[in-house]
Amino acid sequence: MKEKIYTIPVTDAFRIDSECPMCVLEQKLEDEYIEYYLGPSLMEPDHRIETNDKGFCAKHFELLYNKQENRLGLGLIIDTHLCEQNEKLKKLFGDSIKSSGKKTRASIFRKISEKVTSKESNKETDPVDKIISELENLEKKCTVCGRLDYTMDRYIDVILYLWFKEEDFKNLFNSKKGFCLKHLKSLLKGTKKYLNSRERAVFTENLLKIQMENMDRIQKEVNWFTKKFDYRYNNEPWGNSRDALPRSIQKIVGPCRLK
């Protein structure tokens, strides 16, 4: 199989023994992005604009902090992110709100409450709805998640291309232990985006056959794990079940960093 620069990460991930090669891909990407946002991105205005607007989800804030590298850089990211978000929220709350004025805050929210209960209130202009909408939008945003989603979609395109064009990769793919349910869904969605109807039928049949075989396998391994706590099975070999718990969790939910 001829390697190209955009196929190397995919083939490398598929050569690793795992419950889901795409989890291997995603976690490697995630680690690279965490390193990047704590380092080079700090000096790139375009990326600072993005982090100011989107920030990070709880998971990726946790990874950034727990990395314990360049805490000053993380502080700068959070500082400018809060500055931008605070400005947006102040406009929604009203220009007269002062962060230290309890009386002012009470007055503003009393006015908001009166507007909400007013018969003339309009849902489109309801200040509470605007605040809720802004907070929900912010909650859905994450700079790292956005980049992961984009790059993983590109990798799905590569996987499907290689499966049909490279016999060596097809054999490698078919020899794996299937995928986590998250990435199974991603692959199935990818077939609708990147394959024609004939290709989709062929690939999906093959994929689901592999997946069901390995879902049955992991369930049996977990079942044997539980039986090993029964004294009647003390002298029986563990087989592949000793680490069945973390592998089964990954199979169900996708990339996770279990300790």
Side-chain angles (χ1 to χ4, degrees):
M1 179 171 60
K2 293 181 179 179
E3 297 278 17
K4 297 181 179 178
I5 191 166
Y6 59 86
T7 67
I8 291 172
V10 171
T11 53
D12 284 350
F14 272 81
R15 290 188 180 112
I16 295 172
D17 182 30
S18 70
E19 289 295 336
C20 177
M22 291 183 67
C23 284
V24 176
L25 264 174
E26 185 169 322
Q27 287 191 311
K28 184 175 184 296
L29 275 174
E30 188 173 59
D31 289 340
E32 290 173 355
Y33 290 152
I34 294 299
E35 292 277 358
Y36 176 74
Y37 282 105
L38 287 174
S41 77
L42 292 165
M43 303 302 293
E44 297 185 20
D46 288 348
H47 289 110
R48 291 301 298 277
I49 290 171
E50 185 179 16
T51 56
N52 289 347
D53 174 48
K54 296 180 180 179
F56 302 93
C57 65
K59 174 188 176 183
H60 290 126
F61 260 130
E62 184 176 351
L63 288 176
L64 287 162
Y65 180 79
N66 288 344
K67 189 76 173 173
Q68 291 296 309
E69 293 180 7
N70 196 4
R71 297 178 71 184
L72 171 59
L74 180 57
L76 292 171
I77 291 172
I78 294 173
D79 179 32
T80 53
H81 174 67
L82 282 174
C83 285
E84 181 160 325
Q85 300 312 314
N86 286 352
E87 283 301 311
K88 292 179 182 178
L89 292 175
K90 283 178 183 178
K91 289 179 181 178
L92 291 173
F93 289 168
D95 293 336
S96 62
I97 287 186
K98 305 295 182 182
S99 61
S100 61
K102 294 183 180 180
K103 184 176 180 180
T104 305
R105 286 200 297 270
S107 174
I108 291 295
F109 281 105
R110 185 163 57 251
K111 289 179 181 178
I112 290 174
S113 178
E114 289 171 358
K115 289 182 180 179
V116 170
T117 56
S118 171
K119 293 181 180 180
E120 298 178 355
S121 64
N122 188 321
K123 288 185 178 181
E124 293 182 357
T125 59
D126 186 339
V128 171
D129 285 344
K130 287 184 178 180
I131 294 170
I132 291 171
S133 177
E134 180 64 28
L135 293 174
E136 286 178 341
N137 287 336
L138 181 60
E139 189 177 355
K140 293 173 184 176
K141 292 178 180 178
C142 174
T143 306
V144 172
C145 286
R147 294 196 69 177
L148 279 175
D149 289 344
Y150 175 82
T151 309
M152 289 301 293
D153 185 63
R154 301 277 71 76
Y155 281 149
I156 288 171
D157 188 13
V158 172
I159 290 168
L160 296 173
Y161 171 82
L162 289 174
W163 196 86
F164 281 98
K165 298 296 184 181
E166 296 286 350
E167 192 66 25
D168 288 346
F169 180 80
K170 183 177 181 178
N171 293 334
L172 179 62
F173 181 101
N174 293 345
S175 71
K176 305 313 293 180
K177 298 175 180 177
F179 300 86
C180 69
L181 296 182
K182 171 189 172 181
H183 289 128
L184 172 66
K185 181 183 75 172
S186 298
L187 279 168
L188 291 172
K189 290 173 71 174
T191 64
K192 300 186 73 173
K193 185 175 181 180
Y194 297 113
L195 301 180
N196 60 42
S197 57
R198 184 191 63 80
E199 291 172 333
R200 186 162 65 246
V202 172
F203 181 82
T204 300
E205 181 181 358
N206 183 81
L207 172 63
L208 295 182
K209 180 176 181 291
I210 295 170
Q211 189 69 24
M212 285 314 305
E213 288 175 356
N214 283 282
M215 293 300 291
D216 287 340
R217 170 190 55 78
I218 195 69
Q219 183 273 322
K220 289 174 182 176
E221 290 174 356
V222 173
N223 180 260
W224 184 244
F225 174 88
T226 63
K227 286 182 176 178
K228 281 294 293 175
F229 288 85
D230 187 327
Y231 73 93
R232 292 174 296 177
Y233 299 97
N234 278 346
N235 296 324
E236 298 294 330
W238 276 92
N240 293 326
S241 294
R242 195 179 293 275
D243 63 345
L245 283 185
R247 289 188 293 105
S248 63
I249 292 170
Q250 182 192 6
K251 203 72 167 177
I252 296 167
V253 302
C256 47
R257 299 172 187 266
L258 302 175
K259 297 181 180 180

